[in-house]
Amino acid sequence: MELSCKSEYAILALLELAIHYQSGEPLQIRQIAAQQNIPDRYLEQLLATLRRGGLVKSQRGSKGGYLLARDPWKITLFEILGCLEGLDVRTAEEDVNPKTVDNAVVEDVWLEAMHAANAVLQKYTLADLCEKRDARRQLDIMYYI
């Protein structure tokens, strides 16, 4: 399992929006792109997808930009990845072909791994990422003193 570039950029953009959430001021694409080192054009497409998914909202005008649609502690990484990548939802009915015992064993382990990964992604929110970021920055500051 690997985090796609698209998902990583989207999470970084949402993290930037979460960091500025309390101010209530929208961030422009160029601000987010500069802070997180994301190409502007690509970020524009990602934010449009996140807006359609209900994770961000846009505000027009001279003071326009993007804001989180909900509180950072109500947006999970699982929800973000589901919006961007879709979810691999398979049911037993879809498996019409008879399987060997070997196939069944491999699939059981793979499903267990997917459930474990999904549980971790459902556990962490944007607020959790902000806290981890702040804690890591504090450690970096202490390291350099």
Side-chain angles (χ1 to χ4, degrees):
M1 185 176 264
E2 191 174 316
L3 185 64
S4 72
C5 186
K6 173 172 73 170
S7 293
E8 184 176 2
Y9 281 163
I11 292 169
L12 289 172
L14 290 169
L15 179 59
E16 193 64 30
L17 291 173
I19 291 165
H20 293 90
Y21 180 75
Q22 293 300 326
S23 74
E25 296 292 320
L27 290 179
Q28 294 179 350
I29 290 175
R30 62 180 167 75
Q31 292 172 295
I32 300 168
Q35 280 297 116
Q36 295 296 340
N37 199 24
I38 303 170
D40 292 26
R41 297 260 186 216
Y42 195 51
L43 181 57
E44 192 173 340
Q45 294 170 8
L46 288 175
L47 288 170
T49 301
L50 295 169
R51 187 179 50 76
R52 285 190 300 273
L55 297 176
V56 299
K57 56 186 177 182
S58 58
Q59 183 174 313
R60 295 182 181 265
S62 61
K63 298 233 181 208
Y66 287 87
L67 299 153
L68 291 178
R70 296 191 310 269
D71 297 326
W73 54 89
K74 292 182 179 177
I75 300 174
T76 65
L77 293 179
F78 183 80
E79 186 177 5
I80 296 165
L81 294 176
C83 174
L84 294 165
E85 308 288 348
L87 300 175
D88 183 20
V89 180
R90 293 186 290 165
T91 62
E93 293 88 61
E94 292 175 12
D95 298 328
V96 183
N97 297 335
K99 294 191 176 216
T100 66
V101 172
D102 296 346
N103 292 114
V105 168
V106 170
E107 185 166 328
D108 287 347
V109 172
W110 189 252
L111 286 174
E112 184 179 344
M114 282 180 29
H115 289 300
N118 289 346
V120 170
L121 295 172
Q122 288 171 340
K123 176 181 151 188
Y124 285 101
T125 66
L126 287 175
D128 294 327
L129 290 183
C130 287
E131 288 175 18
K132 284 181 167 291
R133 173 189 172 268
D134 293 345
R136 185 162 291 186
R137 282 196 169 169
Q138 192 64 32
L139 285 175
D140 286 347
I141 290 170
M142 292 174 64
Y143 180 74
Y144 288 114
I145 291 177

